[in-house]
Structures are given as structure tokens and as C-alpha cells.
Amino acid sequence: SIGSASIFARSRPDLYSSFTFNNHYYTASFLLPSSVCVPAGDGEVCGEGPPASTHSHNWNYGFVTPGNGDCAGQSFEVDLRGNYPVPDAPYQVILLQMEPEMRSHGNWNASTGLIDLIDEPPTECDLLARRQAINITSASWGAFTPGFSLDSSHAAVAAWPQGWHWAGGIPLVDGSSRVAGTTNVFSADAGAVRKPFNCHTSMVSAAAGVIAGMEALGLPTADCMDHITASFPPPPPPPVSSEQMVACIMSCDDATLSAYRSCNMACHGMYSPSPPPPPPPPSASPS
């Protein structure tokens, strides 16, 4: 997305010199597998992570923070990046702030040939959501890995830096993939997507390419679904509170990582933030 915006800026700085990029922010921590021990003083300290015999690829799940009376809940995603193909490699637990997307404002710098980026600061509600998400994630993983915390001293990322996939950056006409300032140029770049994503860019680019191609041919993009046969999962069970979610996680069988992971994800899938309490009734006027 940033690279494509640079191409626009270099070719037509009079038209394309200011951009808005969308991205996620994240924090992360590492866990050593339980079978890995490192020297410490006169003895050794062994890891608290899942067994090294389990080769885990990347997997993820999402949840929504409860918020409070002033701030709505926000969605987060937890990624486990496992120890494949090296059995004794550390696990990385990544927590991404998915919604609302954070924005970076970019301006073309002709003297350096680069785009200078300035991040919008997080709001108080963003900060509240981060604290709640860290607590939920730490409670979830703590049920399986005692002592785990995203706030711990071994956290790989202390702050919340930008994620790895940028959206936005391609200046488009509202509601279209047509590049602003043109009559027949349609963008199939992942930067044409307005919201940031957490998946391989090939899927996003493929979708953007289909949309751009249909628009260029004058076909309504809504017709895309006419050519897709999809099977949808059954509706989720009734939502539960954060306390019920943690209790559900604590009851999961941790004999194997795969069984625990499936149970953990199911518990998170049932979770929904509790509605804020109603405002107190107005106080009676003195007689």
C-alpha cells in the first residue's frame, strides 16, 4: 500500500501527495516450550509454553472487549505463531487491535523520495480496550500456561507498534475502485481495501482484482456473489459474559494442545461484552 502510494506520488505529486493509511496495532510475547530449559544461577528455568512435541502452525481467533459506560467494546484478534518446523523454537502470542483501525497520515517528501508517516494517537477508549484485551488474553493463556502475561518482563513488544498489512493509501473515488483523478484506472492493489486485514495479501489482492476488473467492464460488483457457492457455519450459541468465558476456559481439558486450543476458541466464540449498566435515575428535587 505504501509502495503503491509512492508510485503515485512520484508520477503525479501535483495530484497525489497526501495519503491516509489504515493499520492495526499489536503487542506480543514469547513463550518457551515446556520441554526447553535454560541455565539460571545454579540451576535452570524451564519454559511455561505448550509441549515442544506439538508442531503448531499459525492459528487465530477473535473476541470483543466489554468496554464501559463511556466506551464501546472493540474487537481484537489473538494469533499463535508456533514452533514449526523447529520443535524447540519459542511460541509467539500476538494480540492485535482490529477495530477501530488506527490511521497514519502520510505526506510525500520529494527531497527523500519517501512518504513521511505520522500516527494518530490512540484515544482513551482505545487505551481502555487494550488494557481489557491484555487482561482477557492473559487470563485465557494463564489457564494453560501458568504465569503467562502480555504485561510480563519478557514481552517481545512493550509498546503497540503498527501491524504488517496496510490498507488505504490508494486514493479512490468514494464507493469505487477507480483511482481518484482518473476516468479509466481501477486499482487491484491491496491498498485499495479501506480496512486493514490480518491475512496473506494474496487473498486481498485477488478480491481487489476481481472488483477492479468487474468495474472496468461496467459490471455491478454485487454480481460477484452470484458465482460463489459458500457454506456458512451454524449460528453461534447465546453470548456469555467475560466471567463466564474465563470459567469456560478454566474448565478446558489441557491434556493436549489441540484439545485445549479447540476448547479455548469455542469459549471465546461464545463471548460477548455485557451491555453497560443503565444510567442512575435522576435525584429528586428538594421540596
Side-chain angles (χ1 to χ4, degrees), residues 9 13 62 71 94 99 102 116 123 188 205 262:
C71 299
I94 303 171
E99 295 280 352
M102 303 301 167
D116 298 329
T123 67
S205 297
S262 298

Side-chain angles (χ1 to χ4, degrees), residues 129-156:
R130 290 177 181 180
R131 292 192 295 269
Q132 292 179 337
I134 285 177
N135 290 338
I136 290 171
T137 306
S138 298
S140 168
W141 277 91
F144 185 48
T145 55
F148 170 77
S149 173
L150 278 168
D151 276 337
S152 63
S153 59
H154 62 267

Side-chain angles (χ1 to χ4, degrees), residues 100-192:
E101 68 272 13
M102 303 301 167
R103 302 184 186 278
S104 287
H105 300 284
N107 291 288
W108 172 248
N109 188 329
S111 62
T112 62
L114 301 173
I115 292 179
D116 298 329
L117 295 176
I118 300 176
D119 292 343
E120 279 188 0
T123 67
E124 289 300 318
C125 288
D126 296 332
L127 298 177
L128 170 71
R130 290 177 181 180
R131 292 192 295 269
Q132 292 179 337
I134 285 177
N135 290 338
I136 290 171
T137 306
S138 298
S140 168
W141 277 91
F144 185 48
T145 55
F148 170 77
S149 173
L150 278 168
D151 276 337
S152 63
S153 59
H154 62 267
V157 180
W160 288 76
Q162 289 278 5
W164 34 87
H165 293 325
W166 297 81
I170 304 296
L172 301 177
V173 175
D174 287 345
S176 173
S177 61
R178 179 165 58 87
V179 177
T182 71
T183 58
N184 61 351
V185 178
F186 299 86
S187 175
D189 191 280

